Amino acid sequence: MTKQFAVIGNPIEQSRSPELHHAFAAKTGVNLDYKKILAPLDGFESTTKDFFAHDGIGMNVTVPFKEQAFALCDQLTERAKIAKAVNTLWMQDGKLFGDNTDGQGLVAAIQALGWDLKNSRILILGAGGATRGVIYPLVEAGAKQIVIANRTLARAEQLVSDLKDAVPQAQLSALSLEQLVGEFDFVINATSASLTGDTLQLPECLVFHHAYEMAYGKPSSFLDQAQERQVPSADGFGMLVGQAIEAFSIWNGVKPELKDFL
Ligand code: ATR
């Protein structure tokens, strides 16, 4: 029987999840169909319940519903609890389970580039949901120091205070964007600046050796500056594929190789 999957969001037309999951299915021999579902802004819960009531197996959740998905779940993985957001849903023993695979997607994408996270010092730009979702997986993968720099310093400080107990093996700290200084193995752009077409100006005194932009398919002033400095860099396509692979493997018990889909 064909297993039914979907991604839910609003808007949803832009989603590349169906093509990715169909490609994984073709590679691994899983028989599935994966659709896009546009839910009304006030209709996430009813649309999701309807999907699972009609034999849906698994659902990905995208903007703006990840926090609502978190609130709806009966059971959460550790990383979803820390992220306070869910992008992967499934039913098990009559209960709705939720995970967040975004952070592991980023880790897998960075590792696929051959970049080493062990004992690394990382600067993350931005202090929204995108940053919250990746801290724990980055530390699990070996990051030793993470500095969160945000335009609004108080938001970065709040995130550090929320997350520090969840990652005792790493040192977390907060900076404002104006205070940016120091040397980092990685800089990760988790702001929404590239999505809204805003410029992000990195100061000259900031030194970094790898640059990862979480957005993809958009012009990025962040990536332009990395390229001017001849620093190895990548956009967020690998992270997108990585989070999809992680969801696919939870649902289907078989894990495609990231490098086959980049
Ligand atoms: P997401 O869930 O995608 O992280 P978000 O919660 O809206 O989205 O967070 C967006 C992040 O991008 C915030 O850290 C925001 O900074 P503020 O907290 O100061 O608003 C950051 N951001 C957005 N546009 C920016 C810009 N032009 N320059 C710098 N930071 C920006």
Side-chain angles (χ1 to χ4, degrees):
M1 207 176 91
T2 307
K3 299 205 260 179
Q4 301 295 330
F5 297 93
V7 58
I8 185 168
N10 186 333
I12 201 61
E13 213 32 65
Q14 78 295 344
S15 174
R16 297 188 63 179
S17 291
E19 73 185 81
L20 288 173
H21 282 267
H22 283 126
F24 303 156
K27 189 85 176 178
T28 56
V30 174
N31 180 11
L32 63 74
D33 189 31
Y34 189 115
K35 292 187 172 64
K36 294 177 192 175
I37 299 179
L38 175 69
L41 289 173
D42 61 355
F44 169 74
E45 183 172 341
S46 58
T47 310
T48 300
K49 288 190 166 158
D50 188 59
F51 174 80
F52 285 109
H54 290 90
D55 298 328
I57 299 284
M59 190 184 242
N60 282 129
V61 181
T62 189
V63 176
F65 298 130
K66 291 183 186 185
E67 285 78 16
Q68 285 183 55
F70 170 79
L72 192 63
C73 287
D74 303 307
Q75 295 276 338
L76 294 160
T77 61
E78 186 62 19
R79 61 194 181 185
K81 283 183 195 161
I82 294 167
K84 290 196 161 72
V86 155
N87 77 334
T88 302
L89 294 168
W90 68 98
M91 290 296 281
Q92 203 174 305
D93 308 325
K95 290 188 170 139
L96 185 64
F97 277 67
D99 194 1
N100 189 316
T101 67
D102 287 330
Q104 186 51 39
L106 172 66
V107 166
I110 288 175
Q111 289 169 340
L113 289 159
W115 301 353
D116 187 7
L117 285 165
K118 281 270 169 296
N119 296 316
S120 58
R121 191 169 145 75
I122 301 181
L123 172 66
I124 304 185
L125 307 177
T131 299
R132 181 185 275 277
V134 300
I135 302 283
Y136 178 72
L138 285 171
V139 172
E140 290 279 290
K144 273 286 167 283
Q145 267 193 59
I146 298 184
V147 176
I148 299 170
N150 199 41
R151 183 172 60 182
T152 313
L153 174 61
R155 223 176 151 196
E157 288 173 338
Q158 183 64 51
L159 202 51
V160 168
S161 109
D162 279 4
L163 294 180
K164 62 180 189 320
D165 292 343
V167 291
Q169 65 279 46
Q171 192 195 326
L172 288 191
S173 55
L175 275 183
S176 74
L177 283 182
E178 294 93 70
Q179 291 168 319
L180 269 188
V181 58
E183 181 169 356
F184 296 88
D185 301 304
F186 298 93
V187 182
I188 297 171
N189 185 15
T191 71
S192 49
S194 302
L195 299 174
T196 52
D198 293 348
T199 300
L200 210 55
Q201 188 59 49
L202 303 175
E204 284 304 320
C205 59
L206 177 69
V207 178
F208 54 96
H209 302 292
H210 303 85
Y212 198 91
E213 164 70 85
M214 282 199 197
Y216 73 92
K218 300 268 184 190
S220 160
S221 61
F222 170 78
L223 284 180
D224 291 345
Q225 290 165 76
Q227 277 149 24
E228 277 159 26
R229 296 181 188 211
Q230 299 187 315
V231 166
S233 63
D235 74 8
F237 184 68
M239 178 175 175
L240 174 81
V241 180
Q243 63 76 28
I245 283 179
E246 196 73 8
F248 186 92
S249 89
I250 290 167
W251 294 329
N252 299 300
V254 47
K255 193 163 197 167
E257 285 266 350
L258 179 58
K259 64 172 173 36
D260 291 340
F261 300 93
L262 295 177

